[in-house]
Amino acid sequence: MSDILQRLAAHRLVPVVVIDDASHAVALAQALVDGGLPVAEVTFRTAAAADAIRAIAARGDVLVGAGTVLTPQQVDEAVAAGASYVVSPGTSRAVVERCQEHGILALPGAVTATEVQAALELGLTTVKFFPAGTSGGAKAVAALAAPFGDVGFVPTGGIGPANLAEYLALPSVRAVGGSWMVPRDLIRAGDLDAVRDLTAEAVASLPTPELAHP
């Protein structure tokens, strides 16, 4: 699990994907690879999620996880499809414990001190800060990091090119989740060349590690 965290931290940016048609999954994965960002969080917001994860995982060149996982049953589906990590919008003991049973990384959502403590009590070291934009943004992450010095955060929600660097400048931020480089309408339309170009632009906009953590 620590290896998966290290890989997410190395990429620093995680595309949060909604796929309506699993037949687009392989081309989407290729677009991400060609854009220089071979990682994806495929959300369980559509019926195509498990099949899309399965298709992407089968390639072997993209770190693919499952997002918007709300139940232990969805954890089972995600793991069976080949997901390397599981992301939830909130902290659910049942979901985290099922992930632990499978030996897979869980990133539950937490935006308050109480939620972070609940995650720590479940043995976790990193949480998803969601929804970041409406929960105080980078300043809120910095404030939470003060009492929870060993906790890592993956902010997601309301993040884009304009504020990406602000989050990545925080030592406690392991990576940032975003969807601006993988718009649902472009994926639905099969315009994966546009997704590739947006992904390449997003990668090019990432601050250097030295600037991110002065």
Side-chain angles (χ1 to χ4, degrees), residues 28-201:
L28 169 67
Q30 189 63 52
L32 293 173
V33 169
D34 291 344
L37 195 58
V39 57
E41 174 190 326
V42 178
T43 62
F44 266 72
R45 298 183 187 182
T46 71
D51 286 339
I53 290 170
R54 186 172 291 106
I56 294 172
R59 289 173 52 100
D61 60 350
V62 175
L63 178 61
V64 59
T68 322
V69 174
L70 306 177
T71 67
Q73 292 72 28
Q74 287 180 325
V75 174
D76 294 340
E77 288 181 56
V79 172
S84 294
Y85 59 98
V86 166
V87 185
S88 300
T91 299
S92 161
R93 172 179 288 274
V95 167
V96 171
E97 290 181 343
R98 184 61 61 87
C99 287
Q100 291 170 336
E101 289 172 11
H102 284 290
I104 192 170
L105 174 68
L107 291 175
V111 292
T112 67
T114 299
E115 291 166 343
V116 173
Q117 269 192 245
L120 286 173
E121 289 170 2
L122 289 170
L124 304 180
T125 60
T126 304
V127 297
K128 172 184 180 177
F129 186 80
F130 173 84
T134 56
S135 301
K139 290 182 179 179
V141 176
L144 275 177
F148 299 110
D150 295 328
V151 175
F153 295 88
V154 181
T156 306
I159 299 175
N163 58 3
L164 175 64
E166 185 180 357
Y167 287 95
L168 288 175
L170 300 174
S172 61
V173 169
R174 303 293 181 254
V176 170
S179 58
W180 75 91
M181 77 296 293
V182 284
R184 185 176 183 176
D185 58 340
L186 290 183
I187 298 173
R188 185 187 289 134
D191 190 356
L192 284 312
D193 286 345
V195 172
R196 177 200 61 211
D197 294 344
L198 287 170
T199 300
E201 289 173 13

